[in-house]
Amino acid sequence: MTKAKPVKKPSAKPVNIALQGGGAHGAFTWGVLDYLLEDGRLQIAGVSGTSAGAMNAVALADGFTRGGPEGARSALEHFWRCMSEGAKNSPLRRMPIDVLMGNWGLENNPVYHAMDALSRMVSPYQLNPMNINPLRDLVKDSIDFDMVRKCEAFELFISATNVETGKVKIFPREELTVDMVMASACLPQLYQAVEIDGVPYWDGGYMGNPSLFPFHGKTGTDDTVIVQINPIERRGIPRTAMEIQNRVNEISFNGSLLKELRAIDFVDRLICDGKLSREDYRQVRVHLIENQQELKRLGASSKMNTEWAFLTTLRDLGRETTAAWLEQTLPSIGQCSTVNLSEMFSCRSSPGRTASRCRNTRRGGRIDR
């Protein structure tokens, strides 16, 4: 009897993954990572994270060091469960009418509005002079940073904003501490600036949400997958004070990412036109996992909702979105971008539109658009 030859599985394709911040909406990113780790057809070569994205990133690294992909999945679930348990006695919860109506936002919670108003009149230095931060304790207790620093499965970069210079600061994996992650998640209206080596830092979202440039030449792949949870486009004019403030925050927290994508597109076009050498410059292949249609419906206040039912709903949405994205995008990984950056920045088209085919095709030795 002839023994059947084993079927050789195709090797996983290496990608960089860039994780945006967005409070509790980071549970969507948890679902994205959970599915990719379970599926196994993509290999994570590098991770860049900001704020909630930074917390997902260090949980990923902690678990991966302990037990590979399955260890990473367990660590991510453990982190988000700790987030939910840590806030179970918080007054920032949905009102009974919201539970009845199936709304996940906190717009009807008077404590939410009181805190929002207070943050505009009193600084965290006045309101919390002892600088008590339960979130720091939660992150410290749920993440083993010794394991994070030992992770060699992929590169890891965490972004924060230097308060004094306004420049982005990248903290590499081998130096990471809980304070660096808290610096990446430090909203100045809520927390005192996090000082590291005498330098104050605020949320990385202002200057790198997430940062893409650390990947260049460091991870061995030119494919970058951006997990986006902050809507770029929102139709209509914000009219209430809260709507205006929320939209300002969305624009601010997407600004640095759009600038990096525009720079990538500019270099890409120069390479395609033969004005830059392919030997000296590399084209970055950009891919995007997002579900703005669903996330925009949730509203900004839901970013502070850490109910387990809400977090798992976002996780499941992230898994479902990633499953559909992977089936459509996998053949293009390693070949071409699936986001048409030129179209993204055209005034004639909607931001974030995904290309239906490879942007660049070879014709007679030249790449045309």
Side-chain angles (χ1 to χ4, degrees), residues 308-320:
W308 184 244
F310 181 50
L311 298 181
T312 54
T313 295
L314 287 170
R315 176 202 61 193
D316 294 344
L317 178 63
R319 283 182 56 86
E320 293 167 7

Side-chain angles (χ1 to χ4, degrees), residues 111-333:
V111 177
Y112 171 78
H113 290 285
M115 289 184 60
D116 180 67
L118 192 62
S119 69
R120 301 176 195 279
M121 296 183 291
V122 183
S123 83
Y125 294 88
Q126 299 167 306
L127 190 62
N128 184 14
M130 299 299 293
N131 199 20
I132 299 171
N133 189 346
L135 180 60
R136 184 188 185 279
D137 296 334
L138 187 151
V139 173
K140 182 180 179 181
D141 292 342
S142 59
I143 305 293
D144 187 335
F145 280 85
D146 286 333
M147 291 292 104
V148 174
R149 289 187 289 269
K150 291 177 182 178
C151 180
E152 297 181 350
F154 46 81
E155 299 292 336
L156 178 59
F157 309 99
I158 301 302
S159 302
T161 300
N162 185 315
V163 177
E164 297 174 329
T165 66
K167 297 179 180 179
V168 65
K169 170 67 175 180
I170 304 298
F171 298 109
R173 168 191 52 78
E174 58 271 16
E175 301 175 7
L176 275 178
T177 64
V178 63
D179 285 329
M180 293 175 182
V181 174
M182 296 314 300
S184 182
C186 180
L187 290 171
Q189 298 88 353
L190 301 179
Y191 306 110
Q192 295 184 21
V194 178
E195 292 193 25
I196 299 172
D197 297 330
V199 179
Y201 294 98
W202 281 342
D203 196 294
Y206 295 109
M207 295 305 297
N209 192 24
S211 296
L212 306 182
F213 70 89
F215 291 139
H216 303 333
K218 297 289 183 65
T219 64
T221 179
D222 296 319
D223 286 271
T224 293
V225 178
I226 302 168
V227 182
Q228 186 174 23
I229 55 179
N230 292 299
I232 291 179
E233 180 176 312
R234 190 182 289 274
R235 295 294 184 180
I237 302 174
R239 298 191 181 276
T240 69
M242 182 164 289
E243 286 175 349
I244 292 171
Q245 185 60 45
N246 290 340
R247 187 56 185 150
V248 167
N249 288 337
E250 286 178 345
I251 293 171
S252 299
F253 276 29
N254 278 320
S256 58
L257 174 62
L258 291 176
K259 287 180 180 179
E260 282 204 76
L261 291 176
R262 189 182 290 275
I264 289 171
D265 179 54
F266 179 66
V267 172
D268 183 33
R269 286 187 283 112
L270 291 179
I271 293 173
C272 291
D273 293 340
K275 296 178 181 178
L276 291 178
S277 168
R278 293 183 181 278
E279 295 180 358
D280 298 324
Y281 295 87
R282 302 171 69 93
Q283 290 177 286
V284 178
R285 296 182 289 270
V286 179
H287 316 279
L288 183 67
I289 299 178
E290 53 87 22
N291 195 329
Q292 294 192 30
Q293 181 178 357
E294 294 297 328
L295 291 177
K296 280 193 292 189
R297 297 174 181 175
L298 297 174
S301 69
S302 65
K303 291 182 178 181
M304 301 189 72
N305 183 352
T306 56
E307 295 177 50
W308 184 244
F310 181 50
L311 298 181
T312 54
T313 295
L314 287 170
R315 176 202 61 193
D316 294 344
L317 178 63
R319 283 182 56 86
E320 293 167 7
T321 301
T322 306
W325 172 86
L326 190 59
E327 292 307 312
Q328 179 181 3
T329 306
L330 185 62
S332 299
I333 301 292

